[in-house]
Amino acid sequence: AQSVSQHNHHVILSEAASLELGCNYSYGGTVNLFWYVQYPGQHLQLLLKYFSGDPLVKGIKGFEAEFIKSKFSFNLRKPSVQWSDTAEYFCAVNGATSGTYKYIFGTGTRLKVLA
Amino acid sequence: EAEVAQSPRYKITEKSQAVAFWCDPISGHATLYWYRQILGQGPELLVQFQDESVVDDSQLPKDRFSAERLKGVDSTLKIQPAELGDSAMYLCASSLVQGTGELFFGEGSRLTVL
């Protein structure tokens, strides 16, 4: 069965600090990988995605993520966070099971950036 | 910008009552999802539709939950009877295609069961 693990539930950083949020998944086949973000009071929205090709993908607002197949990981990074990055971040995996693509989300990481 | 519409935004009900949530996906999106999100957890898939057909409802508590998408457009999720443990945010999302499609989420419907 598919599963997604996010190791950090709460992260507090000061502005300009670097960010790395861990995500590991479990799935036996080809997967598509996503990071979604939920800003306070807003709905979930896509941050970035990986389907194939270059394992280092860049998303909006300076975020990037690296797919490491051997480690089943898709960690999210940002070199220098801003106060406006305060949000909850969800890693998601999408893989085919019996012909149906199932979107599975991790438990989320709540990031607070201190000004 | 096209959005996924959900209603009601908030619902307070007593246990054993019936509750219904409505979702209108982005026009042309064939795939529709209902998720439940309990505070502090990630979204949990309840049911997935491809057009009007259910393609996955393995996590839907079918003794009390039902979902339909009769014309392959908007969808309704019903709970009857509601239980205290059903208190959560119910999220609707849609995508143009399965697989590589980005999910577009609605604002959600927050249910409180007293």
Side-chain angles (χ1 to χ4, degrees):
Chain A
Q2 288 175 247
S3 67
V4 180
S5 298
Q6 291 184 243
H7 318 298
N8 318 99
H9 297 292
H10 293 90
V11 173
I12 301 175
L13 295 172
S14 298
E15 275 194 314
S18 64
L19 170 72
E20 181 160 2
L21 302 182
C23 173
N24 286 90
Y25 67 92
S26 172
Y27 184 68
T30 302
V31 294
N32 303 307
L33 299 160
F34 306 80
W35 277 95
Y36 284 82
V37 60
Q38 188 167 25
Y39 297 104
Q42 297 186 26
H43 58 269
L44 277 157
Q45 57 189 283
L46 183 69
L47 196 57
L48 50 77
K49 58 189 177 185
Y50 172 80
F51 300 151
S52 62
D54 188 344
L56 184 63
V57 293
K58 296 190 184 300
I60 60 172
K61 303 186 180 186
F63 285 91
E64 63 180 32
E66 184 175 13
F67 170 53
I68 302 180
K69 189 174 181 179
S70 60
K71 295 185 177 180
F72 298 91
S73 70
F74 190 55
N75 292 354
L76 181 71
R77 300 195 292 249
K78 186 171 184 178
S80 176
V81 295
Q82 301 174 311
W83 177 80
S84 59
D85 294 325
T86 294
E88 192 155 17
Y89 294 81
F90 295 92
C91 182
V93 168
N94 186 333
T97 303
S98 302
T100 299
Y101 280 88
K102 296 181 68 168
Y103 249 99
I104 305 297
F105 284 81
T107 52
T109 297
R110 190 159 296 207
L111 172 66
K112 184 175 178 64
V113 180
L114 304 175
Chain B
E1 181 180 316
E3 293 184 343
V4 175
Q6 287 189 248
S7 67
R9 289 291 309 278
Y10 303 94
K11 178 70 177 178
I12 300 174
T13 190
E14 294 185 344
K15 64 179 182 178
S16 79
Q17 296 299 303
V19 179
F21 303 110
W22 176 81
C23 172
D24 190 13
I26 293 173
S27 178
H29 281 197
T31 312
L32 184 147
Y33 309 77
W34 282 102
Y35 284 89
R36 176 171 60 187
Q37 186 175 19
I38 295 170
L39 198 62
Q41 299 183 22
E44 172 197 10
L45 181 66
L46 292 175
V47 61
Q48 178 179 339
F49 290 92
Q50 183 65 28
D51 299 308
E52 67 276 8
S53 300
V54 172
V55 296
D56 185 357
D57 63 358
S58 56
Q59 300 302 311
L60 188 71
K62 298 182 190 61
D63 57 335
R64 297 185 301 108
F65 286 65
S66 63
E68 60 183 15
R69 193 184 183 198
L70 292 176
K71 297 183 179 179
V73 180
D74 59 338
S75 175
T76 302
L77 177 71
K78 296 180 181 177
I79 308 174
Q80 183 173 17
E83 295 181 351
L84 296 178
D86 296 332
S87 294
M89 178 74 85
Y90 290 84
L91 300 170
C92 179
S94 68
S95 66
L96 190 58
V97 294
Q98 282 197 76
T100 58
E102 171 187 353
L103 292 188
F104 292 84
F105 283 87
E107 299 284 351
S109 295
R110 183 169 293 283
L111 173 66
T112 302
V113 182
L114 304 176

